[in-house]
Amino acid sequence: MSREEIFDWFQRRLNRPPEAYDIYKVAKDFYQLGAYSRALVCLQQYITLPGASIPGRHLLGYCFLNLGEIEKALREFKKCVKEGYHDDWQLVVELTMEMESKRRREQDMGAIQV
């Protein structure tokens, strides 16, 4: 969905222009239902709005993680840490180690096949 489509949907649903909180709340509801791709679309728009908070970016990272997009998740969690959300430090370290381990396995498999 495009930004315009998302805002149109919210406009029809709320009968007013959406505020950042409106989008975050719907994204969180989608996430809790396991609709990670829908939550992701909302959160990608949410983080561009004035009034967006760090927990929205944090939830965006978890959406990427649940969709198997580890590199994108790691990027979002690193941004959270830079913005002062220090609860994500351990997750950043764990994902970095996981990606490095995966990269090494892929290198080893490539060396074996040669």
Side-chain angles (χ1 to χ4, degrees), residues 33-51:
L33 291 171
Y36 305 120
S37 59
R38 288 180 183 220
L40 179 91
V41 169
C42 290
L43 290 165
Q44 286 174 322
Q45 298 307 317
Y46 168 78
I47 63 172
T48 67
L49 298 173

Side-chain angles (χ1 to χ4, degrees), residues 9 15-16 45 51-52 54 75 84 87 91 93 97 106 114:
W9 182 84
N15 292 321
R16 63 174 170 77
Q45 298 307 317
I54 296 172
R75 183 182 66 228
D87 292 348
L91 191 53
V93 170
M97 291 173 57
E106 288 171 355
V114 174

Side-chain angles (χ1 to χ4, degrees), residues 45-63:
Q45 298 307 317
Y46 168 78
I47 63 172
T48 67
L49 298 173
S53 62
I54 296 172
R57 185 173 297 280
H58 174 80
L59 190 57
L60 177 61
Y62 270 103
C63 286

Side-chain angles (χ1 to χ4, degrees), residues 29-97:
D29 290 344
F30 279 143
Y31 182 86
Q32 290 172 338
L33 291 171
Y36 305 120
S37 59
R38 288 180 183 220
L40 179 91
V41 169
C42 290
L43 290 165
Q44 286 174 322
Q45 298 307 317
Y46 168 78
I47 63 172
T48 67
L49 298 173
S53 62
I54 296 172
R57 185 173 297 280
H58 174 80
L59 190 57
L60 177 61
Y62 270 103
C63 286
F64 280 126
L65 192 60
N66 280 294
L67 292 169
E69 298 186 48
I70 296 172
E71 290 180 27
K72 290 180 180 179
L74 180 59
R75 183 182 66 228
E76 296 304 324
F77 291 131
K78 283 181 178 180
K79 288 178 185 177
C80 288
V81 170
K82 282 185 179 180
E83 293 178 22
Y85 199 76
H86 300 292
D87 292 348
D88 285 339
W89 264 117
Q90 182 175 351
L91 191 53
V92 167
V93 170
E94 290 172 5
L95 290 174
T96 301
M97 291 173 57

